[in-house]
Amino acid sequence: MRETMATATLKQYDTKSQASRAVRDAFAKLNPKDQVKNPVMFMVFVSAILTTILFVLSLAGIADQQPGFILAIAVILWLTVLFANFAEAIAEGRGKAQADSLRAAKRDVQAHKITQGLLAAGQHEGDPASLYFARSEEVNSATLKKKDYVFVAAGEQIPADGEVVQGAASVDESAITGESAPVIRESGGDRSSVTGGTTVLSDWLVVCVTQESGKSFLDQMISMVESATRKKTPNEIALQILLVALTIIFLLVAASLFTFSGFSSGLSDMANPTTITSLVALFVCLAPTTIGALLSAIGIAGMSRLNKANVLAMSGRAVEAAGDVDVLLLDKTGTITLGNRQASEFVPVDGATEEELADAAQLASLTDETPEGRSIVVLAKERFNIRERELEGSGMVSIPFSAATRMSGVDFDGHEIRKGAADAIKSYVEKFGGSYSDECRQRVEDISRAGGTPLLVARDHRIVGVIYLKDIVKQGIKENFASLRKMGIKTIMITGDNPMTAAAIAAEAGVDDFLAEATPEAKLDMIRRYQAEGHMVAMTGDGTNDAPALAQADVAVAMNSGTQAAKEAGNMVDLDSSPTKLIDIVMIGKQLLMTRGSLTTFSIANDIAKYFAIVPALFVPLYPELDALNIMRLTSPETAILAAIIYNALIIVALIPLALKGVKYREASSQSLLTRNLLVYGLGGIVLPFVAIKAIDLLLTLCGMA
């Protein structure tokens, strides 16, 4: 069973270890340098210090209230600060555990450095591996620079990130991806990128170093999973500014109430019942301490959830952007379809028989090792029991597929058999005097309109028929796109197929739009067009030709198996190299935004009950009519204030699991999600404190604190 990097790490770092480490970190974060980073909780920290000083003064006979009451307020405020620190520390603990595990996997090794001249010489040697090994210079991997070349043999660790320039090998990438199955890395194409810290299992590679020590992919992973290096996102900063503004407002309110109560008590010739301790308690209760305490933990936990999905985000901004995405660009192959087109039917034309077509198609596919080629051979065997022929000694010459001709086939005994794209075969037969009949054109159009890929077969410059290659749409993908549509997300399929084929598959898969015959320029233009209209665009890619579009997209997910250029252009890397992961990333981003919004709503709604608890407790002696606001019928001013401030501290602890796990994401429109969350977290935030504060007041009364 597959085990992700995050899962393996968490096995080593159990819940008890996380909790004990978080408790230690909570006390360590009492350092003022750490506290000032969170302005809202810094004010609570200052309030805790102030009430502690007031308690000490009360022991010396200088007090505005009973020492026991002041001590209780001070202790609760210190606990409030520690609970906030604990929430952040427990979220950070997951990242630190992952970072510790990655550091254990990262180590300097001896690398076989070779020169560019030796590389050129090796290309002409019979056994280049022996030459590279014998003449290489052993150096420490930490000294490698960009453009250095290293030779890596079977059983050795790849010393640095790079691109394979020679050789092909099986590589164990479990240290990075958590996936135990080895992968093939080879020069050329989109599977040439290798990561430092992975191990070559077989054969050998020559790697051109693309990242120096300290800047490798593994170093980036360690940096990103450690919350200490996490930068606040623009949305998080904006929310924090709002919370600071509210805190300042409530600070001014508390100061104004103290002045007002002093003036009112002077008019009535009675002692001022409003003490500094009580006003401090009022200020802390009214300030948005709940969301202030959990805001950082929510962001860290969102990154952690992404890490669990085996996705490395280069910034928190990318995770938030994923939550705002409303346009998804998805590759057809491997994402919407299974990726391996299968031969499903032989369609003869111009008087040829189906068996004649099957025999020619099978001959043209004998040396074609692609899934499509093998499926043609299998179909010919199933339909007409046509067996593979031995090429050796038969005089057959294999004609491999090339991007220039877009054809392949065989020559034997004076005969030529070719199979390829419709326009390529058309040009081929017309060049030798053959024709492309109306019947053939109609069959090609019928197959394309049905969502298949037509592959023409010609024998001796005469078209004998069409092979129907069928793309298999993934099971359940249509339902996934329907869910995305409910969320207000537009899905666009990108494919190199012709427009008719693309339209048929798009209709079968249920996507909203498609881009056929896609080129790098066309992808880039489409992204820019949607962004100009105000949309947030996400896409995936793995090749160098995807780099321009990835660099332009708001959320750009590069495949770990892809090229270094694609990784550098993207702002996320999918360690599993699964094109469908983009849908999960969008949902994680939306869950992060929903969690932050829901807990902010809950935090602000909480203030209503606290008004009804503390304001009557402070001013009833001056204005008895305000007793009507004591709708909870709290026992005394002391129990009312204590109950409110105890609830204010405990609710932080109660919401830590929700902040870490995230609000459950539901596939629905933004309007319905907003309505639901307002009912649950808005109305719930109003009702719950009334019930909880009354219960705490009764408990305090039973304990004799009235």
Side-chain angles (χ1 to χ4, degrees):
M1 181 180 292
R2 183 186 174 281
E3 184 181 72
T4 66
M5 173 190 67
T7 304
T9 300
L10 291 178
K11 283 183 178 179
Q12 303 169 14
Y13 195 73
D14 58 27
T15 305
K16 185 180 293 186
S17 299
Q18 289 186 49
S20 61
R21 183 174 185 172
V23 169
R24 294 195 302 271
D25 289 346
F27 281 95
K29 287 176 179 290
L30 289 176
N31 187 323
K33 290 182 179 180
D34 292 324
Q35 290 298 309
V36 78
K37 295 176 184 177
N38 187 338
V40 177
M41 295 313 300
F42 178 70
M43 293 305 298
V44 181
F45 177 70
V46 171
S47 298
I49 294 174
L50 176 59
T51 51
T52 303
I53 293 172
L54 289 174
F55 169 68
V56 174
L57 291 175
S58 70
L59 295 178
I62 307 172
D64 62 353
Q65 218 152 5
Q66 292 297 319
F69 178 78
I70 301 174
L71 176 62
I73 295 294
V75 169
I76 296 167
L77 291 182
W78 281 116
L79 287 174
T80 303
V81 175
L82 286 171
F83 290 160
N85 291 348
F86 180 79
E88 184 175 35
I90 197 74
E92 289 176 350
R94 299 180 180 183
K96 289 179 179 178
Q98 292 169 354
D100 290 344
S101 178
L102 289 171
R103 281 197 187 92
K106 180 180 180 293
R107 65 182 188 274
D108 291 337
V109 296
Q110 290 300 109
H112 303 291
K113 183 178 176 182
I114 61 177
T115 63
Q116 195 163 1
L118 182 61
L119 179 63
Q123 293 174 352
H124 305 287
E125 294 288 334
D127 185 8
S130 299
L131 175 68
Y132 296 146
F133 187 80
R135 299 188 188 177
S136 63
E137 175 190 0
E138 281 207 2
V139 299
N140 190 286
S141 59
T143 65
L144 292 173
K145 305 294 183 183
K146 284 186 178 181
K147 303 299 183 182
D148 282 347
Y149 292 90
V150 292
F151 170 74
V152 191
E156 295 181 343
Q157 182 174 304
I158 295 174
D161 293 359
E163 294 278 347
V164 178
V165 296
Q166 193 173 340
S170 175
V171 179
D172 176 10
E173 295 187 342
S174 59
I176 305 298
T177 66
E179 179 63 66
S180 58
V183 295
I184 301 299
R185 292 289 177 258
E186 58 190 349
S187 59
D190 294 339
R191 296 188 299 173
S192 60
S193 176
V194 291
T195 306
T198 57
T199 304
V200 174
L201 298 179
S202 67
D203 302 292
W204 55 270
L205 298 172
V206 175
V207 177
C208 177
V209 176
T210 57
Q211 293 292 345
E212 297 178 3
S213 178
K215 298 179 181 179
S216 69
F217 186 66
L218 199 57
D219 290 315
Q220 289 183 55
M221 290 180 68
I222 293 171
S223 176
M224 289 308 304
V225 299
E226 276 192 316
S227 56
T229 61
R230 189 185 73 91
K231 294 182 180 179
K232 289 182 171 61
T233 62
N235 285 346
E236 196 172 348
I237 292 171
L239 179 56
Q240 192 166 64
I241 291 172
L242 172 63
L243 298 181
V244 170
L246 289 174
T247 302
I248 293 172
I249 290 171
F250 287 125
L251 181 62
L252 294 175
V253 167
S256 300
L257 287 176
F258 182 75
T259 304
F260 178 75
S261 62
F263 175 76
S264 299
S265 61
L267 291 178
S268 59
D269 296 326
M270 64 178 293
N272 188 351
T274 306
T275 64
I276 294 177
T277 303
S278 298
L279 284 174
V280 166
L282 172 65
F283 162 69
V284 171
C285 284
L286 297 185
T289 52
T290 305
I291 185 61
L294 299 173
L295 183 59
S296 182
I298 293 170
I300 295 169
M303 295 287 286
S304 180
R305 283 193 293 275
L306 203 63
N307 290 336
K308 282 186 177 180
N310 248 18
V311 176
L312 174 66
M314 300 306 180
S315 69
R317 184 193 295 261
V319 186
E320 279 195 356
D324 290 326
V325 161
D326 55 1
V327 175
L328 285 184
L329 303 185
L330 302 161
D331 279 330
K332 181 200 75 172
T333 305
T335 304
I336 295 171
T337 64
L338 293 177
N340 295 332
R341 295 176 298 179
Q342 301 291 305
S344 62
E345 188 179 352
F346 294 119
V347 183
V349 298
D350 301 339
T353 65
E354 186 177 354
E355 185 171 1
E356 182 183 357
L357 168 60
D359 182 59
Q362 188 254 10
L363 286 171
S365 304
L366 287 178
T367 57
D368 185 352
E369 294 300 327
T370 65
E372 293 91 341
R374 303 315 301 164
S375 71
I376 293 171
V377 174
V378 170
L379 183 63
K381 179 180 178 181
E382 290 176 347
R383 294 294 303 275
F384 300 103
N385 200 30
I386 298 174
R387 302 280 179 176
E388 292 189 27
R389 304 182 191 180
E390 290 292 334
L391 294 181
E392 292 185 9
S394 65
M396 281 189 177
V397 177
S398 175
I399 309 298
F401 175 85
S402 73
T405 63
R406 293 189 295 152
M407 295 186 301
S408 63
V410 293
D411 292 343
F412 72 101
D413 293 337
H415 299 286
E416 291 184 9
I417 300 177
R418 298 289 186 272
K419 66 177 172 62
D423 55 344
I425 295 295
K426 176 177 179 291
S427 299
Y428 166 74
V429 296
E430 289 178 346
K431 180 180 178 181
F432 293 96
S435 64
Y436 183 70
S437 67
D438 291 338
E439 181 187 3
C440 184
R441 181 182 294 104
Q442 186 62 48
R443 296 293 178 267
V444 167
E445 290 179 358
D446 289 344
I447 292 171
S448 298
R449 198 173 291 112
T453 300
L455 203 63
L456 265 61
V457 179
R459 182 184 178 102
D460 296 332
H461 314 133
R462 180 177 73 90
I463 297 174
V464 293
V466 188
I467 304 170
Y468 183 174
L469 294 179
K470 188 173 183 180
D471 273 314
I472 309 299
V473 174
K474 287 184 176 180
Q475 187 174 6
I477 197 73
K478 190 169 188 176
E479 289 74 14
N480 285 344
F481 290 146
S483 298
L484 290 171
R485 196 172 297 111
K486 288 180 183 177
M487 295 154 48
I489 297 175
K490 182 176 183 178
T491 52
I492 301 173
M493 181 184 76
I494 299 176
T495 177
D497 290 337
N498 63 66
M500 283 192 298
T501 301
I505 294 179
E508 184 180 354
V511 295
D512 299 309
D513 201 356
F514 64 88
L515 176 64
E517 298 175 342
T519 63
E521 294 78 13
K523 295 178 188 178
L524 186 59
D525 289 342
M526 173 173 275
I527 292 173
R528 286 174 173 169
R529 187 170 66 252
Y530 275 108
Q531 288 174 332
E533 295 171 359
H535 297 282
M536 295 284 284
V537 182
M539 74 162 289
T540 60
D542 59 1
T544 301
N545 63 342
D546 290 323
L550 286 171
Q552 183 66 35
D554 299 291
V555 177
V557 185
M559 301 294 101
N560 187 44
S561 61
T563 62
Q564 190 68 28
K567 291 181 185 179
E568 291 176 355
N571 50 27
M572 292 187 186
V573 177
D574 176 18
L575 303 180
D576 296 331
S577 301
S578 169
T580 57
K581 190 69 68 67
L582 183 58
I583 297 173
D584 298 330
I585 291 170
V586 169
M587 292 184 176
I588 290 171
K590 287 188 175 296
Q591 186 183 38
L592 170 64
L593 296 181
M594 282 178 54
T595 303
R596 185 184 297 156
S598 299
L599 293 186
T600 301
T601 303
F602 183 87
S603 177
I604 295 174
N606 269 215
D607 284 353
I608 296 175
K610 298 170 190 175
Y611 275 114
F612 283 96
I614 297 182
V615 171
L618 294 178
F619 292 100
V620 164
L622 286 175
Y623 302 101
E625 296 85 359
L626 290 178
D627 188 57
L629 295 178
N630 186 16
I631 59 177
M632 289 180 278
R633 312 318 300 171
L634 302 177
T635 307
S636 68
E638 289 77 12
T639 59
I641 294 171
L642 285 173
I645 203 166
I646 288 172
Y647 169 80
N648 193 65
L650 294 180
I651 195 62
I652 294 173
V653 180
L655 291 176
I656 288 176
L658 184 61
L660 298 181
K661 185 178 180 181
V663 173
K664 185 176 181 181
Y665 183 75
R666 298 174 185 273
E667 295 165 351
S669 65
S670 299
Q671 185 63 39
S672 61
L673 287 174
L674 176 62
T675 302
R676 180 183 179 277
N677 287 341
L678 283 176
L679 287 174
V680 174
Y681 297 98
L683 185 59
I686 294 173
V687 174
L688 178 62
F690 280 98
V691 177
I693 290 173
K694 178 60 179 177
I696 295 171
D697 176 77
L698 291 174
L699 185 61
L700 292 173
T701 303
L702 290 174
C703 293
M705 298 190 66

